[in-house]
Amino acid sequence: MVFGASMACEMKRLVRMLLSALVALCGGCTLVVSGCAMDGRVVDKETGKPIPGALVIVEWSGAVGGPVQSSRVCFHLEVVPTDANGRYHIPSWSRRPANETEGGFFGVRNVEVTRRTYKAGYEPIDLDPTDPSTMRMSRVVSPSTERLHALSLMGTAGCGAADGSLMREAVIWRGVCDEVRSNPDAKLRQKSFGNRSFVELVNAHLEGITRQLAAERNVAPHSLEPCS
């Protein structure tokens, strides 16, 4: 669900979708893919104090394909840090369909927007029930190995490969890399990581980002600085 998005922006988005649908009936294409701005805060659940420097990760996903056979894709990614007061701002965005799947007769539909957070030494907990735009986190108390397994799930599974926003996932893995540098378990190979170390897993994700983006654009991969 989308929390904290302005009603005006939602109405404009619905109008754009309606106009695109009408044009699609005539021209067989979707004209625009878009998302509304969001604002909120990230705070410590126990103290209520703001958490500066937390990453807010927002993913837009929807169904593509025809009514008989369709699949869900994550088509846009935003990753922004909170400011000194724990506040975040996700800018509104709009673009033309990045490929034939997004721009076909049925376009992208049944769109869902999800938000989550990352901060070294913290774990996401929930949304403030009195203000769903406020996301709450707590200090990590789990053992080292459990923390590594939680961090291994921080990726976005190729979200935003078609429009290039997937590159923002690298910011997440950079933060994770910085967090685990002093963790001796991060360099031990484990079966749960495919007989790789956690550091090797992070590097595999970074390499995967460049490969996916290169494949979408039919260009040679551009390497990212590895985690070490």
Side-chain angles (χ1 to χ4, degrees), residues 146-161:
E146 290 185 19
R147 177 61 173 172
L148 291 179
H149 285 292
L151 292 177
S152 71
L153 303 176
M154 288 304 301
T156 64
C159 184

Side-chain angles (χ1 to χ4, degrees), residues 32-171:
V32 66
V33 183
S34 64
C36 291
M38 288 177 269
D39 295 273
R41 293 195 308 151
V42 178
V43 301
D44 187 299
K45 183 173 182 178
E46 283 67 43
T47 66
K49 293 182 178 180
I51 300 179
L55 295 179
V56 178
I57 305 157
V58 187
E59 297 159 289
W60 280 261
S61 61
V64 296
V68 176
Q69 184 175 5
S70 64
S71 59
R72 290 199 68 81
V73 297
C74 188
F75 57 87
H76 190 76
L77 172 68
E78 292 284 346
V79 180
V80 300
T82 56
D83 64 15
N85 297 311
R87 296 192 176 277
Y88 65 87
H89 172 71
I90 306 296
S92 62
W93 60 274
S94 64
R95 59 173 173 77
R96 294 182 63 82
N99 50 40
E100 291 183 1
T101 302
E102 289 184 355
F105 184 83
F106 294 98
V108 181
R109 58 197 186 281
N110 300 327
V111 173
E112 294 182 357
V113 184
T114 58
R115 291 175 302 148
R116 54 196 174 96
T117 53
Y118 167 72
K119 169 76 173 180
Y122 282 86
E123 57 186 349
I125 300 299
D126 58 14
L127 303 179
D128 187 332
T130 63
D131 179 10
S133 69
T134 297
M135 308 169 74
R136 302 192 294 188
M137 306 184 76
S138 291
R139 290 279 186 180
V140 173
V141 295
S142 59
S144 170
T145 53
E146 290 185 19
R147 177 61 173 172
L148 291 179
H149 285 292
L151 292 177
S152 71
L153 303 176
M154 288 304 301
T156 64
C159 184
D163 71 352
S165 60
L166 171 62
M167 183 58 74
R168 296 177 181 128
E169 184 183 340
V171 177

